[in-house]
């Protein structure tokens, strides 16, 4: 029996879809059967990021409405054995699916896959409630910005209320140079505010923009620093102990000294 | 002498209050709200975006970063106490206070906020000079 993990954030634009795509790639690279579910009905993107848009025949709403079988709607990734996508509908909205229907779909998927990753829409309304309905656990994506961290806190509270076990945190788009200068919140600051466990830190990486637009997730290439971070997160999702690599660009002695003082 | 009168008035008020204190043993996150007709005690943090509204006093055994309204039934004699008092806004009785716009370092010690002469004042809960509890 596989595990259903929702990837959520509250705030939009922090990298939920990019994270879902890359984590899916990284899990499949580990030889795990992985299904990505795009729960952002009406604003579907996950297919585009994965470069699978032109292969969609049926979608999530078709499945819950009984127009097709679940298996027919799944798209197998062309590059990577074991990676599958259940796309969202684009011409419907969030009310086309109920939390109960989502639970049924994820239950069916977990019979067949090791991991089912649900890409949640932004917000805390129906779409979010659908996305978390069948989840065993949650990964929270937050960028080092006050608004993002605040929304993440709200989401963690809602997950607690829904009795989904403590979520783990992915800090996305970190710029170590700015953190060192005191211009950006550090990972420690964010963990201190949110009081949840960290599962990974993804550095800002221009390659993400390039690969996302091209429909080739960065985790596919070994040149991307962000891709490497996603591969580490995948191993931690699976329960491996992976040490947190020092995120800083090689810092001189003074850089280190300042950081220590900065925390006092 | 006004100090003594103030204190005894407080005691009287507490003796009359019907509602027991509400004990909250968890962290309050953004969007979560507690409202209670008596005192509220939180063992945990109160995050920015969370709200506590209490007719009586509010004690936070943790980091208070959210919004607290003590004495919400109009009692200016209520107080707010926290391990780390760093609220986004503080209301006591009829008085609304916010932290200064210039960021000040919050002392690494428990603090008490109360109203004195129509203004919210904040002081160390334990007076550094003699180690006694500061009580208004």
């Amino acid at each position: 029996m596989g595990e259903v993990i929702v990837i959520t954030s509250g705030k939009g634009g922090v990298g939920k879809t990019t994270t879902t795509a890359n984590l899916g790639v990284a899990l499949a690279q580990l030889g795990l059967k992985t299904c990505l579910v795009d729960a952002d009905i009406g604003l579907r993107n996950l297919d585009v990021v994965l470069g699978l848009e032109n292969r969609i025949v049926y979608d999530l709403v078709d499945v819950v409405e009984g127009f097709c079988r679940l298996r027919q709607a799944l798209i197998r990734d062309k590059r990577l054995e074991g990676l599958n996508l259940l796309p969202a509908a684009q011409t419907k909205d969030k009310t086309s699916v109920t939390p109960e229907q989502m639970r049924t779909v994820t239950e069916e998927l977990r019979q067949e896959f090791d991991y089912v990753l649900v890409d949640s829409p932004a917000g805390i309304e129906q779409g979010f409630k659908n996305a978390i309905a069948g989840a065993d656990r949650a990964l929270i994506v937050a960028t080092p910005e006050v608004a993002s961290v605040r929304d993440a806190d709200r989401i963690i509270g809602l997950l607690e209320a829904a009795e989904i076990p403590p979520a783990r945190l992915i800090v996305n788009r970190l710029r170590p140079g700015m953190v060192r200068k005191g211009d950006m919140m550090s990972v420690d600051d964010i963990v201190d505010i949110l009081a949840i466990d960290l599962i990974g830190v993804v550095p800002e990486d221009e390659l993400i923009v390039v690969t996302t637009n091209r429909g080739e997730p960065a985790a596919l290439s070994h040149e991307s620093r962000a891709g490497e971070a996603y591969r580490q997160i995948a191993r931690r999702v699976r329960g491996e102990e992976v040490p947190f690599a020092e995120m800083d660009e090689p810092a001189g002695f003074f850089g280190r000294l300042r950081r220590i003082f900065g925390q006092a | 002498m006004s100090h003594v009168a103030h204190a005894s008035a407080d005691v009287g008020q507490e003796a009359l209050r019907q509602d027991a204190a509400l004990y909250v043993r968890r962290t309050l996150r953004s969007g979560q709200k507690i409202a209670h007709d008596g005192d509220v005690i939180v063992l945990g943090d109160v995050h920015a975006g969370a709200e506590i509204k209490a007719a009586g006093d509010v004690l936070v055994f943790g980091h208070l970063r959210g919004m607290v309204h003590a004495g919400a039934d109009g009692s200016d004699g209520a107080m707010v106490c926290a391990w780390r008092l760093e609220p986004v806004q503080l209301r006591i009785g009829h008085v609304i206070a916010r932290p200064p716009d210039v960021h000040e370092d919050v002392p690494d010690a428990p603090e008490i906020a109360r109203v004195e002469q129509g203004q919210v004042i904040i002081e160390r809960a334990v007076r550094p000079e003699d180690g006694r509890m500061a009580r208004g």
Side-chain angles (χ1 to χ4, degrees):
Chain A
M1 276 269 275
E3 203 179 6
V4 181
I5 304 174
V6 61
I7 290 147
T8 185
S9 68
K11 190 175 177 301
V14 299
K16 285 179 295 298
T17 301
T18 309
T19 299
T20 309
N22 282 287
L23 207 50
V25 165
L27 285 166
Q29 282 171 337
L30 294 171
L32 298 158
K33 289 183 72 181
T34 305
C35 183
L36 310 182
V37 179
D38 191 347
D40 201 350
I41 300 164
L43 290 167
R44 74 171 179 215
N45 289 141
L46 188 53
D47 53 322
V48 180
V49 172
L50 287 163
L52 299 172
E53 185 182 15
N54 55 10
R55 312 211 313 171
I56 296 175
V57 180
Y58 298 112
D59 56 49
L60 176 60
V61 175
D62 292 325
V63 173
V64 302
E65 289 182 349
F67 283 123
C68 68
R69 281 174 292 116
L70 180 55
R71 192 178 288 272
Q72 288 175 294
L74 291 179
I75 300 167
R76 259 185 299 166
D77 188 90
K78 49 198 172 186
R79 299 148 297 205
L80 205 56
E81 173 87 32
L83 184 63
N84 290 262
L85 169 70
L86 177 58
Q90 182 66 340
T91 55
K92 310 279 171 54
D93 64 35
K94 306 313 191 234
T95 58
S96 321
V97 177
T98 66
E100 289 70 36
Q101 289 169 326
M102 268 309 274
R103 212 170 283 133
T104 311
V105 170
T106 50
E107 272 312 306
E108 198 176 336
L109 287 170
R110 79 159 85 222
Q111 309 297 328
E112 196 170 332
F113 293 96
D114 298 314
Y115 286 102
V116 179
L117 305 185
V118 182
D119 183 18
S120 155
I124 56 173
E125 295 82 14
Q126 172 98 29
F128 167 74
K129 287 172 189 157
N130 286 341
I132 67 168
D136 301 312
R137 55 175 165 141
L139 299 179
I140 308 285
V141 183
T143 55
E145 295 162 293
V146 177
S148 169
V149 173
R150 191 68 66 84
D151 289 1
D153 192 44
R154 179 90 169 96
I155 289 291
I156 297 163
L158 292 172
L159 288 167
E160 282 170 359
E163 293 182 344
I164 294 171
R168 293 188 70 183
L169 175 70
I170 297 174
V171 175
N172 198 18
R173 309 193 64 174
L174 188 81
R175 295 169 71 169
M178 284 185 73
V179 174
R180 262 201 307 278
K181 277 190 262 168
D183 294 334
M184 183 179 259
M185 291 165 101
S186 73
V187 173
D188 285 349
D189 292 338
I190 300 168
V191 170
D192 183 49
I193 292 171
L194 293 179
I196 62 170
D197 287 340
L198 189 69
I199 196 168
V201 179
V202 182
E204 176 84 63
D205 183 351
E206 287 184 4
L207 261 176
I208 286 284
V209 180
V210 180
T211 56
T212 302
N213 288 338
R214 231 191 260 149
E216 289 172 10
L220 283 172
S221 107
H222 282 263
E223 274 143 47
S224 158
R225 292 202 302 155
E228 176 56 33
Y230 286 120
R231 279 193 292 277
Q232 288 184 359
I233 295 170
R235 287 166 59 198
R236 293 190 192 110
V237 163
R238 203 186 167 188
E240 277 180 52
E241 287 281 333
V242 184
F244 282 86
E246 187 62 50
M247 256 305 142
D248 288 331
E249 288 140 358
F253 175 69
F254 286 103
R256 293 191 177 279
L257 206 61
R258 252 190 24 216
R259 208 181 58 217
I260 293 160
F261 278 129
Q263 281 179 352
Chain B
M1 283 322 274
S2 70
H3 249 80
V4 176
H6 189 81
S8 62
D10 258 357
V11 171
Q13 191 187 1
E14 273 160 32
L16 286 172
R17 193 175 289 147
Q18 297 288 313
D19 290 287
L22 177 71
Y23 177 43
V24 182
R25 210 180 110 185
R26 65 186 179 93
T27 285
L28 295 178
R29 293 186 180 273
S30 177
Q32 295 174 333
K33 185 174 178 178
I34 299 270
H36 181 61
D37 266 347
D39 304 321
V40 173
I41 303 157
V42 180
L43 182 61
D45 297 333
V46 179
H47 287 187
E51 279 182 41
I52 297 176
K53 195 173 178 182
D57 298 341
V58 176
L59 281 84
V60 178
F61 290 76
H63 205 132
L64 169 53
R65 290 177 169 123
M67 206 286 287
V68 166
H69 191 174
D73 57 356
S75 149
D76 287 351
M79 64 97 174
V80 177
C81 180
W83 267 170
R84 298 293 175 269
L85 188 68
E86 204 178 359
V88 69
Q89 194 191 82
L90 208 53
R91 302 180 193 170
I92 298 178
H94 299 93
V95 185
I96 300 180
R98 58 177 173 79
D101 288 329
V102 184
H103 181 81
E104 282 177 11
D105 279 339
V106 176
D108 207 15
E111 290 183 297
I112 288 180
R114 57 193 169 80
V115 174
E116 208 170 270
Q117 290 164 345
Q119 275 200 315
V120 171
I121 60 152
I122 292 174
E123 60 190 332
R124 296 270 187 121
V126 180
R127 293 194 301 227
E129 59 270 24
D130 58 5
R132 284 167 185 266
M133 283 293 288
R135 277 292 277 145

